[in-house]
Amino acid sequence: MLSSTADHLYWMARSMERAENTARMLDVTYRMSLFKQVLIEPHHEWRAMLSISGLHEGFEERYDTLNAENVLHFMALDKENPGSIYNSIFIARENARAVRGSITSEMWEILNSTWLEMRRIHDEGIPIDGVSRFFEWVKERSHLSRGIAHGTMLRDNTFRFIRLGSFLERADNTARILDVKYHILLPSLRDVGGAADYYQWSAVLRSVSAFESYRKVYRDQITPKRVGELLILRPDMARSLITCVNEVHRLLLEINGPHSTELIDRCSQFHARLHTETIDGIFEYGLHEYLSEFLEQIYDLGNLINTTYFWSTDE
Amino acid sequence: MKTAYDEMYAADGSVRESYKSYANWFQSIPDEVITRKREAADIAFHRAGITFAVYGEASSQERLIPFDIIPRIIPSQEWQRMTDGLRQRVKALNAFLHDIYHKQEILKAGVIPAEQILGNNQFRREMVGVDVPENIYAHIAGVDLVRADTGNNCGEYYVLEDNLRTPSGVSYMLENRKMMMRLFPELFSRQKIAPVEHYPDLLLNNLRSVAPYGVTDPNVVILTPGQYNSAYFEHAFLAQQMGVELVDGNDLFVQNENVFMRTTEGPRRVDVIYRRIDDDYLDPQVFRSDSMLGVPGLFSAYRAGTVTLTNAVGTGIADDKAIYVHVPEMIRFYCGEEPILSNVPTWELSKPEDLKYTLAHLPELVVKEVHGSGGYGMLVGPTASTDEIRLFREKIIANPNGYIAQPTLALSTCPTYVESGVAPRHIDLRPYVLSGREITMVPGGLTRVALKEGSLVVNSSQGGGTKDTWVLEGEN
């Protein structure tokens, strides 16, 4: 496959996945913001959301006040924010457009019509009571595009590069969502185990569609360790870190190619290490520290994919 | 201007034989059904992103080409004659290209003045002596035909332009047919309409047939200037339909006079490049050095014969409007036959007497830039304002060699949906002629329609639309 095609497919999938995960992250923040009593300063959760997405500075350059409405606008609709849902959908569509000859017409049409609809939503704005519906819409469109990829595409490297983009982005995002809790919880340690704590962890679970699964798997009350275990180490969880890394590892072995030895070695080590982790070990080490290192590994892997398959020399 | 020939109605108002079946059906369909179908077509085209970009338009970078649901219908015997004429013409044009880049016999024979060729900036000196597979240069030709009433109500076809560089529009021909079959499947069972859907197969066969000597399983690619080019949709569409890679300049590189593409498995050799970028931008080492679109070293590989470019470099000399007037002589010279299709009478403004006549008759004439295309830089006398004519006159006087003039033909009309209902609008036709080891074409082409009342400019960049084109099979 053409390197540039693989590059576009990968970023098409990553951007759509990112749009979905940004919606999920905003959703969890929005849910948490409904429990204001546990928070030390107002809008703390929105600040936390910006800092874990690395978009704090970008926000401050553009907005005077930090409040729900501004952050929602910045993250959902702002054209100037490269990480906004608006731009993620735009980037997904532009990448699809560049390779529309390599994807099925259904695949192209879903991304194109999503973009056309996104543009309309942007022009009309999102009323504050329509926020949740908007997040649902983004998730739905992402589910649709993934479903169409599954239902229509040939199982060749085209499909694999799309999956590779999805899972790498998802790994990154699940780690960040899990970390939201760390950023938000910090000032209110006294509340650990209280009602607010329960709601916050359940919001985290819901944002990655894992609430029902948690109940099914543990049939018990929600504890941080179990949430951590579920979202990091359970291989049967669709969005857990280990599932994402398993998929990335499998896809890289399948794509293979004559110049991929270093990449595959690196990924295999990463994969093997994750399989020896225990949740007690992770909590002892520090969840936040663990997740930060995990994010770095994902970042490095992304760079190595760039140089191995896309002939990209920068970074 | 004379009354135009109408494709559907004869002068006495009766429906022509070729349209009878369609007209019967059309009358039986309620207006609201048609309205609904037209809306459905619009939505489907938008959703599929079948768009084109208009240069110089800041507002929206992608636009739909208006699609009209009333087809243009061509009777089979008319098509047969057109096919014969097109084959003959493209054969002669390819022979001409081979000749002027080799022995230049047509110049030696004095059929065409040598300075018109050698002094023309479309003549690529770099191509002199370069051999190309099968001696074919214009592998894909999009010949623009118009039909004009010549007085006897039979509407003769004229060749308006031979597009031999990177003619576009074939994707609309295919998409229009797909849309018609989707909207009105019943029409296709009423009449035998010749299929066009196999065009991508013919194109791929054609491209493979001109691979460098000795290459048995050629790797064919389409080279696009990129996704912001006005015809990008078509480039991607054709690549997908043929199952070949769509590449831009950055995907290719040249090593030891061989062309490779960058793939996830490492470099892979490229044998045939269907390029949709102009000569000027192909290779910054040979042509425009500021080109970001091309591939450094591509021309050296081409000269070495390791890769085929379609169309060949230097075809622009044969579709230059100053050379156009000589095509009938080319046909006589290379084929020893009388031209089947006529040229539009043309005044060459490089000739003093032609210039004099043209300047005296500007309000009646169409004046075109010799190197222009896409409907840009032309004057349509009868619809131009006095100011526009005055400005154009100055441009002509400043550079007479840069222009040709033609009578304003009453292009044939076809009933078309416009805001006020159905009304006759002027149309043209672009069939696509494929030349390789043999000449092939699908029955039909792209019919373009000028949507503005009285307008003769059908180019999509100038607000033109398109229609499905039906060639009827068998007796009718």
Side-chain angles (χ1 to χ4, degrees):
Chain A
M1 182 191 307
L2 279 181
S3 294
S4 60
T5 303
D7 194 355
H8 286 302
L9 292 166
Y10 170 84
W11 282 106
M12 173 188 85
R14 272 200 87 151
S15 306
M16 198 60 215
E17 186 77 25
R18 183 171 295 178
E20 174 186 344
N21 286 299
T22 305
R24 287 177 179 280
M25 200 122 67
L26 284 171
D27 200 22
V28 64
T29 311
Y30 185 63
R31 284 169 196 267
M32 286 188 185
S33 75
L34 302 177
F35 304 103
K36 295 220 188 291
Q37 70 277 16
V38 301
L39 301 165
I40 285 172
E41 47 174 319
H43 308 306
H44 172 75
E45 68 283 353
W46 295 109
R47 189 187 306 280
M49 140 111 224
L50 288 172
S51 72
I52 57 161
S53 320
L55 293 165
H56 208 150
E57 284 176 17
F59 178 83
E60 281 178 348
E61 277 169 27
R62 312 238 322 119
Y63 299 82
D64 293 335
T65 15
L66 191 133
N67 57 30
E69 212 179 329
N70 281 349
V71 178
L72 280 169
H73 184 266
F74 178 69
M75 294 301 296
L77 298 181
D78 200 329
K79 285 186 187 180
E80 304 300 320
N81 173 10
S84 68
I85 293 175
Y86 176 92
N87 273 323
S88 295
I89 289 178
F90 172 71
I91 294 164
R93 188 265 188 175
E94 286 300 281
N95 277 292
R97 191 168 125 88
V99 291
R100 58 186 286 177
S102 309
I103 53 181
T104 55
S105 48
E106 287 97 329
M107 187 77 215
W108 156 247
E109 285 184 19
I110 195 68
L111 290 170
N112 189 40
S113 59
T114 301
W115 163 240
L116 295 176
E117 179 68 6
M118 182 68 240
R119 227 169 31 175
R120 194 190 59 75
I121 293 171
H122 176 271
D123 292 348
E124 288 174 7
I126 305 170
I128 195 77
D129 63 346
V131 167
S132 295
R133 207 173 54 218
F134 173 70
F135 297 149
E136 286 306 314
W137 175 78
V138 176
K139 280 194 265 176
E140 247 174 61
R141 300 307 287 191
S142 177
H143 291 324
L144 261 175
S145 75
R146 218 169 15 243
I148 285 173
H150 256 278
T152 65
M153 302 234 4
L154 196 65
R155 296 306 192 258
D156 60 1
N157 279 351
T158 305
F159 185 68
R160 291 185 195 107
F161 275 108
I162 291 176
R163 303 283 289 163
L164 186 62
S166 294
F167 281 108
L168 212 65
E169 185 66 26
R170 190 181 296 175
D172 181 284
N173 281 278
T174 298
R176 283 179 202 274
I177 284 177
L178 207 46
D179 216 17
V180 172
K181 181 63 178 131
Y182 165 82
H183 284 264
I184 290 180
L185 198 68
L186 200 57
S188 53
L189 272 172
R190 63 195 159 86
D191 287 307
V192 172
D197 196 38
Y198 167 83
Y199 283 114
Q200 288 187 351
W201 280 114
S202 66
V204 167
L205 287 172
R206 280 183 212 279
S207 77
V208 288
S209 309
F211 189 78
E212 290 90 348
S213 305
Y214 185 97
R215 290 297 194 206
K216 243 179 157 165
V217 171
Y218 298 104
R219 301 187 179 284
D220 200 353
Q221 73 189 86
I222 293 173
T223 70
K225 252 190 197 171
R226 285 192 187 133
V227 175
E229 185 181 57
L230 190 69
L231 297 187
I232 299 173
L233 296 177
R234 290 286 305 204
D236 49 0
M237 275 297 298
R239 312 188 80 82
S240 72
L241 301 188
I242 202 162
T243 298
C244 296
V245 174
N246 282 344
E247 285 294 319
V248 167
H249 184 239
R250 189 179 57 77
L251 287 162
L252 288 177
L253 289 175
E254 282 176 21
I255 294 169
N256 203 348
H259 309 287
S260 59
T261 319
E262 192 195 344
L263 172 64
I264 288 176
D265 283 355
R266 183 89 68 87
C267 185
S268 298
Q269 288 165 19
F270 183 33
H271 177 250
R273 219 168 30 241
L274 191 54
H275 276 263
T276 60
E277 301 284 5
T278 63
I279 196 63
D280 286 331
I282 291 172
F283 269 63
E284 214 166 283
Y285 186 72
L287 179 60
H288 171 65
E289 287 69 22
Y290 179 81
L291 292 172
S292 303
E293 276 170 30
F294 181 89
L295 285 170
E296 257 171 56
Q297 301 257 27
I298 289 291
Y299 181 78
D300 287 347
L301 213 51
N303 279 341
L304 209 48
I305 288 171
N306 274 340
T307 49
T308 305
Y309 293 125
F310 310 152
W311 295 57
S312 145
T313 44
D314 41 5
E315 284 196 323
Chain B
M1 196 162 76
K2 292 182 239 63
T3 337
Y5 178 94
D6 193 87
E7 303 284 345
M8 188 155 166
Y9 297 106
D12 62 5
S14 62
V15 176
R16 292 186 197 278
E17 198 54 42
S18 54
Y19 266 97
K20 279 209 168 118
S21 167
Y22 180 79
N24 283 339
W25 170 87
F26 190 67
Q27 270 152 21
S28 71
I29 302 295
D31 284 354
E32 57 272 22
V33 172
I34 297 284
T35 309
R36 217 171 49 233
K37 299 269 188 183
R38 290 182 63 210
E39 282 165 8
D42 232 45
I43 291 168
F45 275 121
H46 232 116
R47 197 180 145 88
I50 301 171
T51 57
F52 75 111
V54 179
Y55 298 121
E57 240 182 45
S59 56
S60 72
Q61 49 170 263
E62 292 162 40
R63 251 182 22 194
L64 285 181
I65 294 187
F67 167 69
D68 187 71
I69 59 154
I70 302 177
R72 186 254 186 87
I73 302 178
I74 302 171
S76 61
Q77 70 275 21
E78 264 178 34
W79 173 252
Q80 194 48 54
R81 192 180 146 74
M82 224 186 291
T83 311
D84 294 343
L86 289 167
R87 286 169 175 273
Q88 178 195 52
R89 192 165 173 108
V90 171
K91 215 168 119 190
L93 286 163
N94 272 311
F96 166 74
L97 283 161
H98 181 256
D99 184 27
I100 56 155
Y101 289 124
H102 289 84
K103 293 182 178 163
Q104 303 187 335
E105 276 165 358
I106 199 162
L107 306 185
K108 288 175 192 148
V111 177
I112 300 176
E115 71 275 8
Q116 269 199 25
I117 302 292
L118 308 177
N120 191 313
N121 63 8
Q122 292 297 317
F123 179 72
R124 297 281 175 195
R125 241 156 266 288
E126 300 85 350
M127 283 300 289
V128 173
V130 176
D131 288 319
V132 296
E134 308 289 327
N135 293 337
I136 296 293
Y137 289 74
H139 309 86
I140 299 110
V143 181
D144 286 345
L145 298 170
V146 295
R147 185 185 229 189
D149 202 333
T150 42
N152 49 1
N153 195 29
C154 69
E156 195 186 341
Y157 287 103
Y158 292 91
V159 176
L160 196 62
E161 277 176 23
D162 302 288
N163 296 292
L164 307 177
R165 287 171 243 196
T166 54
S168 63
V170 78
S171 56
Y172 299 105
M173 170 184 89
L174 296 167
E175 287 293 336
N176 289 353
R177 174 60 55 87
K178 207 163 97 189
M179 185 59 69
M180 282 301 271
M181 294 185 82
R182 185 162 145 185
L183 294 177
F184 308 111
E186 67 273 24
L187 280 173
F188 291 83
S189 53
R190 285 173 75 99
Q191 262 178 307
K192 268 187 123 176
I193 299 157
V196 294
E197 292 85 342
H198 55 297
Y199 178 84
D201 292 330
L202 292 185
L203 178 59
L204 183 59
N205 278 340
N206 194 56
L207 296 172
R208 292 173 64 98
S209 81
V210 291
Y213 181 73
V215 177
T216 47
D217 185 16
N219 179 19
V220 176
V221 300
I222 297 183
L223 175 60
T224 174
Q227 60 166 316
Y228 298 103
N229 180 266
S230 65
Y232 179 74
F233 160 72
E234 176 158 306
H235 309 159
F237 174 87
L238 289 174
Q240 185 177 41
Q241 294 293 309
M242 294 194 289
V244 305
E245 294 290 358
L246 177 67
V247 302
D248 65 25
N250 292 322
D251 292 316
L252 301 181
F253 67 93
V254 177
Q255 207 167 49
N256 303 326
E257 299 194 329
N258 281 284
V259 183
F260 297 92
M261 59 186 193
R262 298 176 218 273
T263 79
T264 54
E265 274 114 39
R268 183 171 167 213
R269 233 189 96 117
V270 173
D271 305 299
V272 179
I273 302 177
Y274 176 19
R275 48 90 171 216
R276 296 291 296 255
I277 65 182
D278 291 341
D279 289 356
D280 278 338
Y281 298 94
L282 269 181
D283 180 350
Q285 289 176 359
V286 181
F287 306 111
R288 280 180 65 151
S289 58
D290 61 343
S291 171
M292 307 293 286
L293 306 173
V295 186
L298 178 57
F299 193 74
S300 69
Y302 181 55
R303 279 188 71 115
T306 62
V307 69
T308 303
L309 293 175
T310 67
N311 289 349
V313 174
T315 54
I317 186 66
D319 72 1
D320 189 78
K321 292 187 179 73
I323 303 306
Y324 162 86
V325 291
H326 302 297
V327 176
E329 294 150 58
M330 286 178 202
I331 293 172
R332 292 184 194 103
F333 187 80
Y334 296 111
C335 309
E337 295 166 4
E338 272 308 300
I340 298 168
L341 291 167
S342 312
N343 259 15
V344 177
T346 301
W347 290 279
E348 301 172 72
L349 306 196
S350 50
K351 293 182 180 165
E353 65 273 32
D354 283 16
L355 177 64
K356 198 175 151 205
Y357 176 86
T358 300
L359 290 176
H361 294 85
L362 277 181
E364 304 154 27
L365 301 176
V366 175
V367 187
K368 294 176 182 171
E369 277 179 20
V370 170
H371 306 313
S373 68
Y376 292 100
M378 65 188 273
L379 174 81
V380 182
T383 57
S385 68
T386 38
D387 266 2
E388 283 169 325
I389 290 178
R390 188 176 47 76
L391 281 173
F392 224 87
R393 175 188 302 275
E394 284 165 18
K395 278 163 68 178
I396 295 170
I397 291 169
N399 177 25
N401 293 344
Y403 297 90
I404 54 147
Q406 290 169 341
T408 310
L409 293 179
L411 302 195
S412 65
T413 58
C414 184
T416 300
Y417 269 95
V418 293
E419 268 177 43
S420 55
V422 177
R425 288 292 181 268
H426 296 293
I427 56 171
D428 80 347
L429 175 66
R430 177 179 289 184
Y432 297 87
V433 186
L434 301 175
S435 306
R437 210 161 287 157
E438 53 188 71
I439 295 181
T440 48
M441 49 198 304
V442 294
L446 178 67
T447 294
R448 297 183 297 177
V449 52
L451 295 172
K452 276 186 242 154
E453 187 171 7
S455 170
L456 295 167
V457 186
V458 295
N459 303 75
S460 50
S461 52
Q462 313 287 316
T466 65
K467 284 170 172 289
D468 191 15
T469 308
W470 295 359
V471 170
L472 298 183
E473 282 186 326
E475 300 297 308
N476 33 26

XYZ file of all heavy atoms in Angstrom, chain B residues 6 413-416 422-426 450 453-454:
93
model
N -33.143 21.648 -32.230
C -33.499 21.058 -30.935
C -33.430 19.535 -31.034
O -33.930 18.948 -31.998
C -34.891 21.496 -30.490
C -35.130 21.148 -29.028
O -34.771 21.969 -28.158
O -35.635 20.030 -28.759
N -30.092 22.603 -28.945
C -30.674 22.729 -27.610
C -31.324 21.422 -27.213
O -31.615 20.567 -28.056
C -31.748 23.830 -27.565
O -32.745 23.520 -28.532
C -31.150 25.193 -27.846
N -31.549 21.299 -25.909
C -32.246 20.129 -25.388
C -33.121 20.634 -24.249
O -32.695 21.488 -23.479
C -31.233 19.111 -24.886
S -31.981 17.579 -24.311
N -34.347 20.124 -24.128
C -35.191 20.555 -23.013
C -34.485 20.280 -21.685
O -33.892 19.214 -21.508
C -36.444 19.696 -23.157
C -36.470 19.296 -24.585
C -35.038 19.172 -25.008
N -34.558 21.242 -20.788
C -33.778 21.201 -19.553
C -34.598 21.844 -18.433
O -35.324 22.803 -18.685
C -32.475 22.009 -19.742
O -31.735 21.426 -20.816
C -31.618 22.030 -18.499
N -39.509 23.706 -17.749
C -38.651 23.063 -18.738
C -38.474 24.005 -19.925
O -39.451 24.523 -20.452
C -39.272 21.726 -19.215
C -38.400 21.105 -20.304
C -39.429 20.771 -18.051
N -37.244 24.238 -20.324
C -36.992 25.156 -21.430
C -35.775 24.661 -22.216
O -34.937 23.944 -21.676
C -36.723 26.562 -20.885
N -35.677 25.025 -23.504
C -34.521 24.591 -24.289
C -33.251 25.306 -23.855
O -33.279 26.514 -23.615
C -34.901 24.973 -25.726
C -35.962 26.011 -25.597
C -36.648 25.798 -24.293
N -32.181 24.535 -23.711
C -30.886 25.120 -23.360
C -29.816 24.508 -24.261
O -29.916 23.353 -24.649
C -30.549 24.828 -21.891
C -31.388 25.627 -20.885
C -31.034 27.103 -20.940
N -31.790 27.896 -19.988
C -32.949 28.501 -20.259
N -33.497 28.370 -21.462
N -33.561 29.227 -19.347
N -28.783 25.304 -24.548
C -27.745 24.837 -25.469
C -26.856 23.765 -24.843
O -26.537 23.834 -23.654
C -26.880 26.023 -25.914
C -27.650 27.028 -26.706
N -28.152 26.756 -27.958
C -28.046 28.291 -26.417
C -28.806 27.815 -28.419
N -28.757 28.766 -27.492
N -25.626 24.606 -21.014
C -25.530 25.975 -20.509
C -26.878 26.331 -19.884
O -27.886 26.404 -20.576
C -25.192 26.938 -21.644
N -30.235 31.174 -19.885
C -30.954 31.324 -21.138
C -30.074 32.005 -22.183
O -29.444 33.016 -21.926
C -32.229 32.149 -20.923
C -33.086 32.181 -22.171
C -34.459 32.801 -21.912
O -34.670 33.304 -20.798
O -35.278 32.755 -22.838
N -30.010 31.397 -23.360
C -29.252 31.995 -24.454
C -27.754 31.770 -24.370
O -27.038 31.981 -25.332
